Amino acid sequence: MDYKQLVTESLFKVLGEHLTQEAIYSLVEVPKHTEHGDLAFPCFTLAKSLRKSPVEIAKEVAEQIDASTFDAVLPMGPYINFKLDRANYTKDVLSTWMEEGEMYGSWTIGGGRNVPIDMSSPNIAKPMSMGHLRSTVIGNALANIFEKTGYTPVKINHLGDWGTQFGKLIVAYKLWGTPEEVKADPIAELLRLYVKFHSEAEIHPELEDEGRLWFKKLEDGDAEAEELWDWFKNESLREFNRVYDLLGISFDSYNGEAFYNDKMDEIIEQLQEKDLLKSNRGADIVELEKYDLNPALIRKSDGATLYITRDLAAALYRKRNYNFDQVLYVVGNEQSYHFKQLKAVLLEMGYDWSNDMHHIPFGLITLGGKKLSTRKGKVVLLEKVLNEAISLAQEQIEAKNPTLENKEEVAKQVGVGAVVFHDLKNDRMNSFDFSLEEVVQFEGETGPYVQYTHARTQSILKKAEDLNVSNESLALSDDYSWDVLKLIKNYPDTVKRAHDQYEPSVIAKYVINLAQAFNKYYANSKILVEDQELYARLVLVKATSSIIKDALKLLGVEAPKEM
Ligand code: ARG
């Protein structure tokens, strides 16, 4: 039941001459103070046409409304406040949840259509840093949210495994590396070589040419270059997979940049056929003046292709292979110019579906206020952060629940969940500073707090098994359960809003609210008492428990039964 619609209809009966249903519906709001009412209608817009003050209008209209379907309809200043019929509402919300169970909050908007999500996409031979955490967890949460709204998400790890940097790395390895050192600690050693290349190239610029040459060899299929590249890639993937395993995140495709090496000729040909490729000092560019953008560099003078060339090939491949409804690129805000150019070139090529490509940008994670960059070797290793979070969680569990059976597993779920949740509760465009101690707290707006609330609901339900339920009526009469109920009712709309805005934080903020409302309820009422409302209270606890778990699942966070 849509209660906003109910309020709208009763207002429309009185105000039909002055406002359309749609206009009324869009004006109905949730009052700031819940004790004033559950929904409210502001009368300001009517003041002009009715030539009366909003306060007077509120009073007069409230009197004319048929209040029989509400607990109360009361004017308050310029507002008309509606108190919903609690008995009906409670029955409606709880029985809907009981009918739908785990499907509660699902939508069929997507009609099963494919939505490739380009996410994580770290660069080979470099550590996966905190910077890649955001893309991975935001992308994963969006995949879950799109699944819940009826799409078929396809998680693609567009690995950065191609480009001139691999020419440089090969040169550095041939000059200063040994197989033993790489094997001992692959990414650290490859990073050391990469960093050394850059500092040496400042003194010996000819190294840059050497690097370009080796990348060209790689593109042309030179055996030695390919063998080294393959090796670097496999070692890197092994390390990345350790992090993905910790996060519990998997991919449907690891087609990275290299995958498109043999698919770029077609792009170049199409650009030539459509007369879009202009020569500029030996290089090939596409003019994008009409989009107010700088020209896109498609091919360098030595014939080497670029990041954007591979993205053009990838976009075309994805359209053909997945016939996508839309495709999401979960990539940091600093690449937004790149995606503007990418979309513009595709539009120039006549591909209207370019408009279905969405860059989903996000802000930076800083550490102690500083930006993280790999070039200078200043990195925070994600794996290390996650492992530290796990040991912090373990300490907390040790202190709070020393007899817990599967402590290690729970510590992992809580530690990793804390990092993931912290990332997702921020609006994705916000930049934020990362402090581990703050993240792994059992109190405050944290992942562990929400998980703890879920564990609490589970323990209540376990204790309830021994009680006698005298009836199956769905009636609740206290104010604290009312706030929980209203949040339960809002879950489906919350899921839809997260989908509409490509914004997992909508879910994270919601589940914090639900956990807080539930804990208030828990602190102020006796749940496990054998009275007339026990059955309804237990349904409320069950619904809360299952929705917290479902919301956390959407975010990619586990919900242990005990912690
Ligand atoms: N590897 C890139 C980086 O770490 C991100 C790739 C994003 N995806 C894409 N299709 N361009 O910056």
Side-chain angles (χ1 to χ4, degrees):
M1 170 91 211
D2 181 352
Y3 290 88
K4 209 170 152 182
Q5 184 61 26
L6 188 76
V7 166
T8 301
E9 278 162 22
S10 64
L11 282 161
F12 184 70
K13 281 191 195 129
V14 181
L15 298 171
E17 278 171 41
H18 310 283
L19 291 171
T20 62
Q21 286 229 25
E22 293 73 35
I24 298 174
Y25 191 88
S26 69
L27 285 168
V28 174
E29 57 179 57
V30 178
K32 275 225 172 64
H33 303 282
T34 48
E35 53 296 0
H36 291 168
D38 305 307
L39 289 168
F41 180 77
C43 297
F44 306 102
T45 26
L46 285 169
K48 213 168 168 200
S49 55
L50 293 179
R51 293 163 190 272
K52 279 183 198 159
S53 79
V55 178
E56 273 173 283
I57 298 170
K59 219 165 169 184
E60 284 177 23
V61 174
E63 261 165 33
Q64 293 172 56
I65 282 175
D66 172 11
S68 62
T69 45
F70 301 99
D71 277 358
V73 180
L74 299 164
M76 178 175 262
Y79 291 90
I80 305 169
N81 288 331
F82 293 80
K83 295 197 170 179
L84 300 176
D85 177 338
R86 286 201 186 184
N88 269 331
Y89 188 96
T90 307
K91 217 185 332 178
D92 171 31
V93 173
L94 292 181
S95 61
T96 304
W97 175 78
M98 289 202 295
E99 270 160 40
E100 296 183 12
E102 281 181 6
M103 291 302 288
Y104 189 66
S106 298
W107 295 80
T108 51
I109 311 164
R113 284 164 302 179
N114 287 337
V115 178
I117 303 180
D118 185 311
M119 54 183 270
S120 195
S121 313
N123 300 320
I124 297 297
K126 286 194 197 168
M128 182 167 7
S129 69
M130 284 295 292
H132 287 110
L133 171 73
R134 299 216 77 189
S135 172
T136 310
V137 303
I138 294 171
N140 185 56
L142 288 176
N144 294 334
I145 290 164
F146 271 72
E147 190 163 34
K148 182 108 187 160
T149 45
Y151 295 85
T152 307
V154 185
K155 293 187 273 182
I156 302 178
N157 196 334
H158 187 80
L159 293 168
D161 55 1
W162 209 243
T164 26
Q165 70 267 34
F166 295 98
K168 297 178 189 179
L169 192 61
I170 291 172
V171 172
Y173 173 75
K174 285 169 70 74
L175 284 173
W176 311 297
T178 65
E180 296 73 34
E181 280 169 305
V182 173
K183 272 186 203 125
D185 192 358
I187 289 193
E189 174 61 8
L190 292 174
L191 179 65
R192 186 188 72 82
L193 291 170
Y194 186 69
V195 171
K196 188 170 164 87
F197 183 91
H198 278 275
S199 51
E200 292 285 328
E202 273 173 29
I203 321 161
H204 307 287
E206 63 279 9
L207 278 173
E208 298 278 356
D209 294 331
E210 191 76 355
R212 270 191 284 276
L213 183 79
W214 273 93
F215 178 54
K216 193 74 186 53
K217 283 192 179 195
L218 189 59
E219 281 201 304
D220 296 340
D222 175 88
E224 186 186 2
E226 256 184 6
E227 198 184 318
L228 284 172
W229 171 82
D230 231 21
W231 181 41
F232 297 159
K233 177 168 167 167
N234 286 336
E235 294 293 344
S236 306
L237 270 179
R238 232 206 313 255
E239 283 203 37
F240 296 159
N241 281 328
R242 283 210 302 272
V243 174
Y244 296 140
D245 284 349
L246 275 175
L247 291 170
I249 289 176
S250 60
F251 297 89
D252 300 302
S253 160
Y254 280 90
N255 286 343
E257 293 186 45
F259 177 76
Y260 301 100
N261 187 32
D262 63 359
K263 296 173 183 60
M264 282 179 286
D265 285 348
E266 186 190 353
I267 293 290
I268 307 271
E269 277 157 27
Q270 287 192 19
L271 286 170
Q272 276 162 342
E273 265 163 38
K274 294 173 185 171
D275 204 19
L276 294 167
L277 221 48
K278 301 276 175 292
S279 171
N280 185 312
R281 280 184 256 143
D284 294 314
I285 61 167
V286 175
E287 295 282 0
L288 298 174
E289 226 162 80
K290 82 167 172 228
Y291 302 87
D292 242 345
L293 295 167
N294 293 329
L297 179 56
I298 304 292
R299 193 163 56 176
K300 291 189 193 168
S301 51
D302 63 1
T305 56
L306 290 106
Y307 183 51
I308 196 168
T309 327
R310 293 183 281 283
D311 257 331
L312 286 166
L316 189 59
Y317 175 83
R318 287 168 188 173
K319 186 63 201 174
R320 284 177 182 155
N321 201 38
Y322 302 111
N323 188 25
F324 56 72
D325 176 65
Q326 48 182 314
V327 54
L328 313 184
Y329 292 85
V330 187
V331 186
N333 192 30
E334 68 281 2
Q335 289 193 31
S336 72
Y337 203 83
H338 163 76
F339 287 105
K340 280 189 191 140
Q341 289 186 313
L342 175 64
K343 291 180 63 172
V345 175
L346 287 165
L347 278 183
E348 281 298 272
M349 294 172 81
Y351 294 130
D352 291 347
W353 46 260
S354 165
N355 294 317
D356 304 324
M357 293 168 47
H358 304 298
H359 176 211
I360 311 296
F362 51 81
L364 272 177
I365 301 185
T366 52
L367 196 78
K370 293 202 184 70
K371 195 183 151 181
L372 308 159
S373 107
T374 45
R375 178 119 357 135
K376 301 191 189 72
K378 190 180 59 183
V379 285
V380 175
L381 302 182
L382 186 46
E383 194 181 356
K384 209 172 130 218
V385 170
L386 290 173
N387 282 322
E388 274 171 30
I390 293 171
S391 38
L392 278 179
Q394 199 143 14
E395 281 168 28
Q396 300 248 24
I397 291 166
E398 211 64 68
K400 281 186 188 267
N401 194 355
T403 57
L404 182 67
E405 261 175 33
N406 49 347
K407 261 186 260 183
E408 271 182 19
E409 194 192 334
V410 175
K412 190 177 147 194
Q413 293 173 331
V414 173
V416 173
V419 174
V420 172
F421 192 88
H422 179 75
D423 187 310
L424 293 177
K425 80 168 187 193
N426 293 288
D427 291 8
R428 60 180 159 71
M429 277 308 282
N430 283 358
S431 297
F432 62 88
D433 206 61
F434 186 84
S435 130
L436 204 53
E437 284 70 29
E438 202 183 297
V439 168
V440 194
Q441 287 291 330
F442 280 42
E443 272 109 51
E445 298 182 347
T446 65
Y449 170 76
V450 177
Q451 287 173 319
Y452 194 73
T453 310
H454 172 264
R456 171 171 282 162
T457 58
Q458 287 296 312
S459 109
I460 296 169
L461 292 171
K462 205 166 163 200
K463 285 186 199 139
E465 283 166 12
D466 305 328
L467 297 183
N468 288 315
V469 175
S470 60
N471 63 50
E472 297 204 347
S473 122
L474 293 173
L476 288 167
S477 54
D478 66 289
D479 281 346
Y480 294 102
S481 66
W482 181 238
D483 288 339
V484 178
L485 261 173
K486 284 200 284 189
L487 282 160
I488 291 176
K489 167 79 183 160
N490 284 346
Y491 186 55
D493 282 342
T494 306
V495 172
K496 173 135 186 320
R497 210 148 33 86
H499 154 273
D500 293 345
Q501 300 173 6
Y502 306 99
E503 186 59 272
S505 69
V506 168
I507 303 281
K509 285 173 182 146
Y510 166 86
V511 78
I512 290 171
N513 285 338
L514 179 60
Q516 286 172 342
F518 181 80
N519 285 323
K520 229 184 234 167
Y521 171 60
Y522 174 81
N524 289 286
S525 47
K526 293 203 159 45
I527 297 176
L528 297 174
V529 184
E530 292 177 336
D531 64 12
Q532 290 303 306
E533 293 188 359
L534 175 62
Y535 178 75
R537 283 197 301 272
L538 291 179
V539 175
L540 183 80
V541 178
K542 264 187 218 161
T544 306
S545 191
S546 121
I547 293 171
I548 292 182
K549 186 172 173 187
D550 195 64
L552 288 177
K553 196 170 124 200
L554 291 183
L555 300 176
V557 174
E558 304 233 31
K561 283 198 157 166
E562 245 186 288
M563 63 185 263

